[in-house]
Amino acid sequence: RPSRHAVHSGNQLLRDHRPGTVNSPIVAWWSGGSSQELYWSNYTKAELREKVVGGTHFTIIRPPHIDVIAAEL
């Protein structure tokens, strides 16, 4: 089990991290529902492609949805 210090440090890293912009295409797979296109478009100067796979936020990492993503990678 992680110590409180490790958990606090990890949370602080996540909170304070500011990703840069890349000059590379980004592909974002969504389970459906709302799109985060405006968010992801801030991090690339190249093309942003979004694909809806189906499922939910929690089931997208399980078959059959993850199989669709894996096939495209």
Side-chain angles (χ1 to χ4, degrees):
R1 182 173 174 180
S3 70
R4 264 193 242 192
H5 176 71
V7 171
H8 175 74
S9 296
N11 288 339
Q12 185 174 355
L13 284 172
L14 288 172
R15 185 183 63 242
D16 295 342
H17 178 69
R18 301 291 179 260
T21 302
V22 297
N23 191 17
S24 179
I26 292 178
V27 179
W29 287 275
W30 301 106
S31 60
S34 64
S35 165
Q36 298 292 320
E37 181 178 354
L38 294 176
Y39 174 81
W40 286 108
S41 63
N42 291 322
Y43 300 106
T44 184
K45 294 178 181 177
E47 177 188 17
L48 169 65
R49 291 186 298 142
E50 295 183 293
K51 299 183 178 190
V52 176
V53 176
T56 68
H57 177 79
F58 299 103
T59 63
I60 196 171
I61 60 170
R62 295 191 181 118
H65 312 297
I66 195 65
D67 298 329
V68 173
I69 296 170
E72 292 188 22
L73 291 174

